[in-house]
């Protein structure tokens, strides 16, 4: 191990997971976050069984179980007719048995963030710095130098760019321009349990699929809150997120959909808006002593609900290779991206297809419903999601 610390730029879910995973391998880590306080905004996060395996590797199972809940089913409803299209029972024994003993989960982003933050704070080898914005880095062969706004230059053994969709580290490593604007907008809000009509409350992740729209809802914080995400196609290309949404626009977009959908949307006065972006998958995202992780490396649309899950998988895999290579960072980063690019690319590409299926109209919508309709008497089929929910096999050092 080297005396210089590992530098992590960005204190989102990916950055904190990286700091924690590397500290667990004995590394000293310095993390720099531009925000004025380390916190996560937004609402719910879905957790696949694949990420529960990672929580176990990070020693977080108990803390996550304290805050996450396990929905009974993932259900797709047709938002025009109100018919159930399909369901996957993700909360039962058969699912658990199929996926290494793990269930599907949901958690408030703030709670997931807090669990990671507290775990990092408990590590003496992790230093967390707020209000520190990274501008660029230099690779000097035997070390990196990270230049921060205000003129500070920080030396490290290597740099992990966890600085999200608009990553500055990516601009330097890949220089592949701005992300792709998908033309889809997400509005997110959280309702207190008391605001949700009883007939619309259920312990499932429900997706109402309508032409060029969908609405997702599920309970959070052990049923105290109801998470809503409404997505529609729009040419409002304003970059950004965490901007207030326009309730009238939302009403217009969902005007022809089922009363259940409109009744839920009506309950919300304040929405936060996200312009959804992704990128084409990249084969390489490391150069010398610098690499990317999470959305900086493989930003995806959220239709498989796996962006944060992938960032956490990245972190655990990267740390495993760091240990195997004896902290040879160039080798580590090469092995890490080799291990991750196809799986994360598949999430990026499949998320687009899922978005198309959710938003289908006309004959395509009818075909979707026919294709996804369950076969009478058939057992639940988990195999379609096995490539994702089976999770990953972690690398082992040769003995
Ligand atoms: C509507 C929606 C729903 C979603 N639902 C799910 C879901 O259910 N499940 C799931 O797994 N994923 C979901 N995702 C995706 C998930 O939110 C992201 O993939 C995940 O947050 C990425 O984490 P990250 O740490 O890589 O990036 P980010 O969360 O973007 O964090 C990047 C951090 O870097 C900081 N930063 C940026 N630039 C600099 C700089 N120059 N200097 C210092 N700091 C910097 C930022 O302030 C930020 O804190 C969803 C996304 C959306 C939009």
């Amino acid at each position: 191990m080297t005396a210089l610390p590992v530098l992590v730029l960005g204190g989102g879910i990916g950055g904190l997971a990286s700091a924690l995973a590397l500290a667990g391998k004995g590394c000293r880590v310095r993390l720099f976050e531009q925000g004025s306080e380390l916190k996560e905004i937004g609402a719910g996060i879905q957790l696949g069984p694949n990420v529960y395996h990672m929580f176990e590797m990070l020693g977080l199972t108990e803390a996550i179980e304290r805050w996450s809940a396990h929905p009974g089913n993932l259900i797709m409803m047709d938002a025009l007719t109100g018919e159930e299209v399909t369901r996957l029972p993700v909360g039962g024994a058969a699912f658990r048995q199929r996926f290494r003993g793990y269930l599907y989960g949901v958690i408030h982003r703030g709670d997931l963030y807090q669990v990671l933050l507290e775990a990092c704070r408990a590590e003496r080898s992790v230093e967390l710095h707020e209000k520190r914005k990274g501008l660029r880095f230099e690779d000097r062969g035997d070390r990196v130098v990270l230049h921060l706004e205000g003129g500070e230059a920080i030396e490290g053994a290597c740099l992990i760019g966890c600085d999200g969709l608009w990553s500055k580290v990516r601009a330097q490593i890949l220089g592949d321009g701005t992300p792709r604007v998908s033309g889809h907008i997400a509005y997110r809000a959280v309702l207190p349990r008391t605001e949700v009509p009883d007939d619309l409350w259920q312990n499932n992740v429900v997706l109402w699929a309508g032409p060029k729209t969908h609405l997702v809802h599920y309970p959070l914080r052990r049923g105290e809150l109801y998470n809503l995400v409404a997505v529609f196609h729009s040419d409002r290309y304003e970059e950004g997120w965490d901007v207030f949404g326009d309730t009238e626009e939302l009403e217009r977009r969902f005007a022809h959909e089922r009363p259940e959908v409109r009744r839920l949307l009506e309950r919300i006065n304040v929405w936060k808006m996200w312009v959804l972006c992704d990128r084409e998958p990249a084969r390489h995202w490391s150069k010398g002593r610098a690499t990317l992780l999470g959305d900086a490396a493989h930003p995806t649309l959220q239709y498989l609900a796996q962006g944060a899950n992938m960032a956490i998988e990245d972190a655990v895999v990267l740390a495993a290779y760091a240990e195997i290579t004896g902290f040879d960072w160039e080798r580590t980063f090469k092995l890490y991206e080799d291990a991750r690019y196809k799986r994360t690319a598949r999430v990026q590409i499949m998320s687009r297809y899922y978005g198309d299926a959710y938003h289908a109209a006309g004959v395509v919508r009818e075909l979707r419903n026919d294709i996804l309709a369950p076969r009478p008497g058939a057992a639940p089929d988990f195999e379609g999601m096995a490539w994702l929910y089976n999770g990953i096999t972690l690398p082992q050092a040769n003995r």
Side-chain angles (χ1 to χ4, degrees):
M1 208 193 338
T2 156
L4 284 170
V6 173
L7 306 184
V8 173
L9 188 67
I13 290 167
L16 290 182
S18 304
L20 185 63
L22 286 164
K25 302 295 183 191
C27 295
R28 191 156 70 85
V29 182
R30 298 187 75 191
L31 179 150
F32 300 90
E33 162 59 40
Q34 65 184 3
S36 56
E37 66 186 297
L38 283 151
K39 66 168 188 196
E40 180 71 26
I41 32 185
I45 284 275
Q46 298 180 49
L47 303 168
N50 50 308
V51 80
Y52 277 93
H53 179 210
M54 300 299 103
F55 292 140
E56 203 169 294
M57 296 295 105
L58 293 169
L60 298 177
T61 304
E62 210 180 301
I64 292 289
E65 284 299 344
R66 211 173 304 135
W67 291 104
S68 68
H70 298 293
N73 301 280
L74 306 184
I75 301 177
M76 186 196 273
M77 304 291 292
D78 188 312
L80 295 184
T81 62
E83 284 162 330
E84 182 173 315
V85 178
T86 187
R87 72 167 57 204
L88 202 62
V90 293
F95 187 86
R96 192 192 280 279
Q97 202 176 359
R98 175 64 188 82
F99 296 113
R100 302 186 186 193
Y102 305 110
L103 289 174
Y104 201 86
V106 291
I107 193 167
H108 195 289
R109 295 172 77 92
D111 297 339
L112 170 60
Y113 196 77
Q114 207 54 37
V115 166
L116 288 166
L117 188 60
E118 277 170 22
C120 282
R121 284 189 174 143
E123 290 284 349
R124 286 175 54 196
S125 54
V126 175
E127 279 176 40
L128 302 171
H129 302 275
E130 296 156 25
K131 292 193 227 163
R132 308 284 268 284
K133 182 171 182 174
L135 298 180
R136 63 187 180 85
F137 71 93
E138 286 171 71
D139 188 336
R140 295 199 177 152
D142 64 341
R143 66 193 57 207
V144 290
V145 180
L146 174 63
H147 294 273
L148 301 179
E149 199 172 63
E152 215 177 338
I154 313 285
E155 287 201 342
C158 62
L159 173 67
I160 307 172
C162 305
D163 48 343
L165 183 65
W166 302 92
S167 169
K168 286 208 158 41
V169 182
R170 182 178 182 117
Q172 244 187 287
I173 293 181
L174 292 177
D176 57 352
T178 54
R180 186 190 74 110
V181 179
S182 67
H184 302 184
I185 307 264
Y187 277 28
R188 306 171 93 181
V190 176
L191 272 179
R193 167 68 182 95
T194 45
E195 290 288 314
V196 184
D198 282 345
D199 62 317
L200 298 180
W201 175 270
Q202 47 180 310
N203 182 33
N204 293 311
V205 177
V206 182
L207 184 146
W208 294 86
K212 296 188 177 176
T213 67
H214 78 262
L215 170 71
V216 175
H217 54 77
Y218 52 85
L220 280 179
R221 287 231 172 103
R222 305 202 170 276
E224 288 164 38
L225 302 172
Y226 220 36
N227 184 57
L228 300 186
V229 184
V231 176
F232 55 89
H233 292 203
S234 167
D235 51 10
R236 278 174 62 186
Y237 281 173
E238 296 156 55
E239 168 192 322
W241 47 272
D242 199 23
V243 181
F244 289 108
D246 169 0
T247 41
E248 278 174 26
E249 178 172 28
L250 201 61
E251 270 172 39
R252 264 197 324 276
R253 303 277 177 181
F254 289 80
H256 304 293
E257 302 198 356
R258 291 284 300 177
E260 297 90 319
V261 172
R262 287 184 285 114
R263 279 170 59 213
L264 274 173
L265 297 181
E266 277 164 14
R267 298 268 155 173
I268 312 270
N269 300 320
V270 182
W271 291 93
K272 288 292 179 80
M273 185 189 92
W274 269 256
V275 176
L276 301 172
C277 300
D278 68 358
R279 284 185 185 273
E280 295 307 319
R283 170 64 184 88
H284 300 286
W285 59 65
S286 310
K287 198 170 171 190
R289 287 175 173 260
T291 194
L292 304 173
L293 186 143
D295 277 7
H298 40 71
T300 177
L301 299 180
Q302 84 286 11
Y303 300 134
L304 279 174
Q306 281 279 335
N309 289 234
M310 286 300 114
I312 297 168
E313 281 189 3
D314 282 351
V316 174
V317 171
L318 192 154
Y321 279 120
E323 185 178 43
I324 287 169
T325 63
F327 308 95
D328 172 340
W329 295 108
E330 291 199 30
R331 265 189 70 214
T332 296
F333 293 162
K334 177 151 185 2
L335 291 166
Y336 148 73
E337 69 176 25
D338 284 353
R340 295 298 294 158
Y341 79 95
K342 274 198 211 153
R343 179 166 171 82
T344 53
R346 192 163 174 182
V347 169
Q348 288 173 289
I349 297 302
M350 292 306 291
S351 292
R352 292 182 187 171
Y353 285 126
Y354 272 68
D356 289 346
Y358 298 160
H359 299 165
V363 178
V364 181
R365 170 184 145 261
E366 290 182 47
L367 278 172
R368 173 199 69 198
N369 292 359
D370 287 354
I371 291 165
L372 294 180
R375 281 169 293 128
D381 182 5
F382 300 127
E383 296 316 304
M385 297 309 290
W387 67 274
L388 184 57
Y389 294 164
N390 266 344
I392 52 173
T393 306
L394 288 170
Q396 303 286 335
N398 290 333
R399 288 170 198 282

